[in-house]
Amino acid sequence: MSDETLVADPEVAVKRACGLIVDLDYTVFDGIATLEKTCEKAFGAVGVTVDKSVFVRSLFGAKMVPSINALVGTGSETKAETVLASIVSAMDKAIETSPPNPAVVDVCKKAIETGCKIIFVTSRAMNVVEARLEALDLADGLVFRADRSDRFGEYSADSWIRAARMIRLNPRHCTAIASSALSVRQAIVAGMRTAAVTNPLINFQDFTGADFISAGNDHDTIVSSVMEILLSQLN
């Protein structure tokens, strides 16, 4: 089913309502810092030494296999496969203990308090995700389990649209919170307003088009700015 079909489906739209769709893996929990640590360990285990500052710049938002191959070196396909498997496994495991982003958690709670519909997008195991959300008092939110992307930190426009469909809202009545420029652009393509809540490790990415970019802003500014975007959709 095409993105256009999903957007145009009249049964999806609920007027005068708003939805918050949140990247759980990299935004609610700091998957970007986790990726950096995971990569350092995974590459080191196969004898590849790379300055850790290279990992996020080279891998986040990039196609997994070619970017890992480039760092491992030609003729090392087996090493690259081992590294990728190790990174994916470690990232799946890390969601169990990764610290949450307090500003994003507060936005989610305020959205629930104001009656907005909320859904979290993830590629991690549902039982782990649901347990973590319950511990954060965010169990009122739904969870959409997206297919794994071939890029670190990306959710496609189709994933954002399907998440909106799950809460029975047209994407244009939704605000997406994401960490990567790729995911932000995909949410814009889906027709959503967007807030880029980023990690300083990826401030080099181009977030042009986002309604709000968190870089350089404090906790209260992030919360109030995202809530302003979200609630403006009620008007």
Side-chain angles (χ1 to χ4, degrees):
M1 184 176 290
S2 70
D3 290 351
E4 290 78 13
T5 300
L6 287 170
V7 173
D9 186 346
E11 294 185 0
V12 175
V14 178
K15 294 183 178 180
R16 299 303 177 189
C18 67
L20 181 65
I21 306 180
V22 189
D23 169 0
L24 182 137
D25 299 348
Y26 291 92
T27 310
V28 175
F29 302 108
D30 190 358
I32 300 166
T34 301
L35 177 64
E36 181 186 54
K37 295 174 184 176
T38 298
C39 287
E40 184 176 22
K41 185 175 181 179
F43 278 89
V46 296
V48 176
T49 303
V50 182
D51 188 300
K52 70 176 185 178
S53 64
V54 172
F55 293 132
V56 171
R57 184 172 290 273
S58 298
L59 299 181
F60 195 71
K63 285 186 174 291
M64 295 180 185
V65 174
S67 57
I68 290 175
N69 280 335
L71 291 176
V72 170
T74 57
S76 301
E77 288 79 8
T78 301
K79 281 187 178 181
E81 291 172 2
T82 300
V83 168
L84 177 57
S86 178
I87 292 172
V88 171
S89 176
M91 293 292 287
D92 284 345
K93 182 70 174 176
I95 200 72
E96 298 177 8
T97 56
S98 295
N101 182 317
V104 176
V105 171
D106 283 352
V107 168
C108 294
K109 288 181 177 179
K110 285 182 177 293
I112 292 171
E113 289 171 2
T114 56
C116 293
K117 296 183 178 182
I118 181 169
I119 187 167
F120 300 94
V121 181
T122 183
S123 62
R124 311 304 180 199
M126 289 292 285
N127 62 321
V128 175
V129 168
E130 289 170 351
R132 297 265 8 225
L133 290 175
E134 184 174 0
L136 293 171
D137 292 327
L138 294 175
D140 287 343
L142 297 180
V143 179
F144 173 74
R145 193 168 190 275
D147 294 334
R148 287 191 186 276
S149 171
D150 62 350
R151 298 177 185 267
F152 289 109
E154 179 191 32
Y155 289 115
S156 67
D158 185 67
S159 291
W160 292 110
I161 291 170
R162 290 179 183 276
R165 186 185 184 96
M166 192 169 171
I167 55 174
R168 300 188 62 78
L169 286 176
N170 190 295
R172 70 175 179 271
H173 297 144
C174 297
T175 298
I177 304 181
S179 289
S180 77
L182 277 172
S183 277
V184 167
R185 285 197 290 272
Q186 291 296 309
I188 292 171
V189 168
M192 299 177 185
R193 299 196 68 183
T194 56
V197 180
T198 69
N199 180 301
L201 291 169
I202 60 165
N203 282 348
F204 64 88
Q205 292 192 342
D206 182 5
F207 290 95
T208 300
D211 294 284
F212 172 74
I213 303 171
S214 69
N217 289 294
D218 60 22
H219 174 284
D220 290 348
T221 301
I222 294 172
V223 173
S224 62
S225 297
V226 178
M227 287 304 298
E228 182 178 355
I229 295 168
L230 180 64
L231 296 179
S232 70
Q233 294 175 313
L234 294 173
N235 299 327

